[in-house]
Amino acid sequence: MKFGLLLPHFGEHASRDNVLQGAIMAEKAGFDSVWVRDHLVFEPHGEMEKPNRTFYDALTTLTAIGAVTERIELGTGSLIPFRHPLITALMTGTMTQLFGPRVILGFGAGTFDHEFEAIEWGERDRVELVRSNAEIFKRVFTENDVTYSDANFSFSDITIEPKPLGGRVPFWYCGATPRSARLAVEFCDGWMPGRISMATLDKRVTTMRELSETAGRTMPTVAVIPPTSIERTYEEAVKHVNVPGLLAWANKAKFAVKPPSGKFETVKDLSGQLIVGTPEDALEEIDRFAATGVEHLVFDFRFKFDRWFDQIELLGSEIIGKVNAGV
C-alpha cells in the first residue's frame, strides 16, 4: 500500500511553509504522495473546516512542490472540471517536464453549483465534463493534430506541447457513489472516494472487480482519503475530531451502507470514514483498508492542521516506518 498526505493549502493554515516544508518533510519521512483539493469559489465544509476562504490553486501548488522535492507523487483529489481541458493538458505536460512524471490527475464532478455558475457553465452535466476531460487527455497527451467533439467541447487539428514526460498521466475518478465506481472502471485508471464507510467501500470494490472482469479491463487503483487524527492516546486523538459533525454527514450520505442499527451513531460506526486513535489503532484500520482492496491511502489532517508537522513526524516514525519495515 502507498501512503499520502492531504496538504494544508486551504483555510486558516494555508501558508508557504506549511505546504512546501510539509511536502519536503513528508518525502523524507517516506510518504509516497501529497495531494491537493480544488475549488474556484471556496466554501468551507462546516463539519470539517473553519470559515476561512483562503484556497491556493491546486496545480500551482503542486508545481511549487515539484520544484522542491525529488520523488514524491503529486495528486489532485480531486480536480474539478471548471477549466478547459486543453488548458489543464498544457499545464500538466509542463509540470511533468519541470519535475518528472509524478502527477496523478484525480477528477471529480464537484459539489457546489455556484462554482460553475460563476463561469457560466451552470447548465452543463458535470459528470460528463469529467468524462470529456478524460477523453481529451487521452488524445492530446499522446497525439498531434487532434480533432474532438462532444456535448461540451469541440476543436480541430490541435497539438499540445509539451507532451507529458513518461507518457499519459494517470486519471482517477474521485467520488463515493455507485456511479463513480462504475465510471472509474469504464474510463479511468483509479478510483478515490472521500469519506466512505468500510462496508460501503467493500461493496463498491466488489462491484468494480466484477465489472472489470466482465469488461476485460485492469482493475482501477483503489484509493481513499479519510480524515485522520493520531496521538499517543485515543482520548487525545478523538478530542480533535468533530465526531457529531461526521456522524451527521454520514447519516445524510445517500448511497451509504448503514451499520446494523440502521444509523451511524458511534465512532466505531465511522470506520473507513475516520482514522482516529493511537498509531496502533491506525495500523489496525490500515489493515482493514488493505483487506478491502485499498492500494493508496491518503491521510486527511484537516482537523489537525494546527499540528501539521507533528502529525507528519508521528505517522512517519510510527506508521510509515513500521509498515515499510514489515513490523
Side-chain angles (χ1 to χ4, degrees), residues 21-279:
Q21 295 304 316
I24 292 169
M25 187 175 177
E27 184 170 71
K28 290 179 178 177
F31 285 90
D32 300 287
S33 61
V34 290
W35 294 75
V36 292
R37 301 165 66 205
D38 192 30
H39 281 292
L40 179 62
V41 184
F42 180 45
E43 289 191 0
H45 295 272
E47 76 282 1
M48 296 275 283
E49 299 153 352
K50 294 182 180 179
N52 183 307
R53 294 199 174 196
T54 301
F55 203 97
Y56 292 6
D57 174 71
L59 296 179
T60 306
T61 299
L62 291 184
T63 301
I65 291 167
V68 298
T69 55
E70 296 294 332
R71 60 155 189 88
I72 202 161
E73 292 181 306
L74 309 172
T76 62
S78 59
L79 214 61
I80 308 302
F82 52 70
R83 302 169 183 83
H84 194 290
L86 293 180
I87 295 174
T88 307
L90 177 61
M91 294 178 71
T92 305
T94 302
M95 290 165 70
T96 67
Q97 293 292 331
L98 292 174
F99 54 70
R102 296 192 269 153
V103 178
I104 299 172
L105 285 176
F107 260 77
T111 303
F112 301 115
D113 293 338
H114 69 267
E115 296 188 290
F116 291 85
E117 291 168 353
I119 59 170
E120 300 182 352
W121 283 10
E123 299 302 316
R124 298 197 183 192
D125 184 322
R126 302 204 296 263
V127 172
E128 289 305 309
L129 282 170
V130 175
R131 185 194 300 271
S132 295
N133 275 267
E135 295 299 326
I136 289 170
F137 295 160
K138 286 178 183 178
R139 299 286 307 279
V140 301
F141 281 162
T142 58
E143 303 173 26
N144 295 329
D145 304 316
V146 174
T147 296
Y148 181 88
S149 182
D150 65 16
N152 293 306
F153 304 104
S154 181
F155 52 84
S156 299
D157 300 322
I158 294 297
T159 297
I160 297 293
E161 296 286 357
K163 299 285 191 288
L165 188 65
R168 191 169 61 83
V169 175
F171 189 99
W172 292 8
Y173 202 108
C174 299
T177 65
R179 186 184 183 190
S180 72
R182 294 194 301 268
L183 293 174
V185 173
E186 183 180 339
F187 62 84
C188 299
D189 307 298
W191 175 65
M192 176 186 266
R195 283 173 277 170
I196 186 169
S197 71
M198 201 69 75
T200 307
L201 177 66
D202 185 60
K203 182 178 181 180
R204 300 280 187 275
V205 172
T206 298
T207 299
M208 289 173 67
R209 287 198 182 103
E210 293 170 352
L211 292 173
S212 297
E213 184 176 352
T214 299
R217 291 178 55 86
T218 301
M219 173 74 176
T221 298
V222 177
V224 291
I225 183 167
T228 303
S229 177
I230 306 299
E231 293 291 347
R232 295 296 179 183
T233 67
Y234 174 86
E235 291 74 20
E236 179 65 21
V238 78
K239 184 174 70 175
H240 297 273
V241 178
N242 179 7
V243 173
L246 292 182
L247 288 170
W249 184 92
N251 282 309
K252 293 177 184 177
K254 188 175 181 181
F255 299 103
V257 177
K258 299 294 177 65
S261 67
K263 186 178 181 180
F264 293 96
E265 299 176 304
T266 67
V267 172
K268 186 176 180 180
D269 290 340
L270 292 172
S271 177
Q273 302 177 76
L274 174 68
I275 298 177
V276 63
T278 65

